[in-house]
Amino acid sequence: MQNSKIKMDSGSTVIKIISYIFITIFALICVFPFVLMISSSFMNEQEIVREGYKLLPKEFSFKAYDMLLNNSSKLVDAYQVTIFITVVGTVLGLFMMSMAGFVLNRKDFKYRNFFSFLIYFTTLFSGGLIPTYILMVKHLHLKDNLFAMILPAVVGAWSIFLMRNFMKAIPDSLYESATIDGAGDFRIYWKIFIPLAVPSLATIGLFSALGFWNEWYNGMLYISDSTKYPLQYFLQRMVSQTNLQSLINSGAVINTADLPTQSIKMATAVLATGPIILLYPFVQRYFVTGLTIGAVKG
């Protein structure tokens, strides 16, 4: 009996060691691209051309960051625009999507199946680019307006259904008790649903924030004022401006050997992904919980 117990303990120890080794290797594989991206952004252009991207450059160079920071005022403007659309879009989206999920799960809402179908329908068909552009520019007058980058992505059908499915895990007795005590629908939503929905809200908020942070397409379509460019679109234009021919055509006098056409791509990636990576640890503890709870269909 004791021998079998010892064998079981040793077997579980071996399994744990193997699991830890596997997870460590997998984590290193995931981290490797980010480390390579950061180190390559400090590489000398000639070294990249000769030897390719490396984890340990022979010579550190800040030319890529110097080129980006030469337009520091525009870079700050781009950061401010992206932070604004990320914060406003995420908060507004969470408010609207959580309310939609709350209403669609209420059994006393007569038309919940009809509206659920309408929301689901938008995942299959869309109006197309031209009607959308006409709506945004001609009818809503959002040309060169920051809300042109917020409104198209503020609500997602998948996120609404995730919130609705999360609602099914909350007992109906809570709402019935609140109703008996005289609470209205909005008070029930704000005082009962929102505190219990934090994991789901954090999950959807992370996805929404990532979408707004990486926004560039709507900025390209609707924004022509350079002071209102979102970060991703601004950095993309900076990378394109490192094209040798465009610089020569603009009358710039440059040393082609020193032009950081490759390292600047990595530097822009660092500037674009760095802040959002720092945000993830604060919501990570809610991430898995929100996905698993919201994915369960009652």
Side-chain angles (χ1 to χ4, degrees), residues 27-41 55 266 269-270 273-274 276-277:
L28 291 175
I29 293 174
C30 294
V31 171
F32 176 78
F34 294 101
V35 177
L36 181 64
M37 175 183 70
I38 295 172
S39 63
S40 298
S41 68
L55 284 177
M266 296 299 179
V270 171
T273 60
I276 205 69
I277 290 176

Side-chain angles (χ1 to χ4, degrees), residues 1 12 24 35 47 92 109 111 114 124 130 142 210 217 222-223 239 254 269 290 297:
M1 182 75 177
S12 62
T24 302
V35 177
E47 186 178 355
L92 186 61
F109 181 46
Y111 302 103
F114 172 74
L124 304 177
I130 295 176
L142 292 178
L210 283 173
Y217 184 69
Y222 305 117
I223 305 298
V239 171
I254 58 173
K297 292 179 172 58

Side-chain angles (χ1 to χ4, degrees), residues 97-108:
M97 289 184 288
S98 61
M99 290 189 71
F102 172 77
V103 171
L104 291 177
N105 190 60
R106 293 293 298 267
K107 295 181 175 60
D108 54 350

Side-chain angles (χ1 to χ4, degrees), residues 31 163 240 298:
V31 171
M163 293 298 303
S240 66

Side-chain angles (χ1 to χ4, degrees), residues 44-283:
N44 187 284
E45 187 67 19
Q46 295 92 330
E47 186 178 355
I48 295 178
V49 174
R50 289 195 312 266
E51 305 177 22
Y53 299 110
K54 298 190 302 183
L55 284 177
L56 296 174
K58 293 179 182 178
E59 179 183 351
F60 283 87
S61 173
F62 294 90
K63 290 180 180 178
Y65 290 98
D66 287 339
M67 180 170 286
L68 289 175
L69 296 177
N70 279 338
N71 295 306
S72 58
S73 60
K74 292 185 177 180
L75 182 62
V76 171
D77 289 339
Y79 263 111
Q80 290 176 342
V81 169
T82 295
I83 291 172
F84 175 81
I85 65 174
T86 300
V87 173
V88 174
T90 301
V91 172
L92 186 61
L94 285 177
F95 181 69
M96 296 180 66
M97 289 184 288
S98 61
M99 290 189 71
F102 172 77
V103 171
L104 291 177
N105 190 60
R106 293 293 298 267
K107 295 181 175 60
D108 54 350
F109 181 46
K110 183 178 179 180
Y111 302 103
R112 62 194 182 105
N113 292 329
F114 172 74
F115 283 103
S116 296
F117 171 76
L118 290 182
I119 294 172
Y120 173 72
F121 187 82
T122 63
T123 65
L124 304 177
F125 303 97
S126 66
L129 177 59
I130 295 176
T132 302
Y133 186 86
I134 294 174
L135 172 66
M136 297 291 290
V137 175
K138 185 176 180 180
H139 298 287
L140 298 181
H141 306 290
L142 292 178
K143 182 68 175 177
D144 275 335
N145 192 307
L146 296 184
F147 279 92
M149 295 179 284
I150 295 176
L151 294 183
V154 74
V155 173
W158 179 84
S159 299
I160 291 175
F161 290 127
L162 183 66
M163 293 298 303
R164 188 192 66 175
N165 290 336
F166 175 82
M167 281 283 297
K168 294 180 180 179
I170 301 176
D172 293 335
S173 58
L174 286 176
Y175 304 110
E176 294 172 358
S177 299
T179 303
I180 293 173
D181 290 339
D185 290 333
F186 186 80
R187 188 167 186 178
I188 293 174
Y189 159 79
W190 190 255
K191 294 292 186 179
I192 296 178
F193 171 67
I194 290 298
L196 295 175
V198 170
S200 187
L201 289 172
T203 303
I204 295 173
L206 178 62
F207 285 134
S208 182
L210 283 173
F212 283 113
W213 185 267
N214 293 323
E215 166 59 43
W216 67 272
Y217 184 69
N218 290 319
M220 178 187 68
L221 288 178
Y222 305 117
I223 305 298
S224 57
D225 185 353
S226 61
T227 61
K228 297 180 180 179
Y229 286 159
L231 179 65
Q232 305 291 347
Y233 184 52
F234 170 77
L235 293 177
Q236 185 272 335
R237 288 177 61 88
M238 285 294 300
V239 171
S240 66
Q241 287 174 6
T242 60
N243 180 273
L244 178 60
Q245 190 60 47
S246 65
L247 288 174
I248 293 176
N249 292 339
S250 66
V253 179
I254 58 173
N255 183 354
T256 58
D258 293 334
L259 187 65
T261 57
Q262 299 301 321
S263 57
I264 196 173
K265 297 177 183 178
M266 296 299 179
T268 55
V270 171
L271 292 176
T273 60
I276 205 69
I277 290 176
L278 297 176
L279 173 67
Y280 179 75
F282 295 99
V283 297

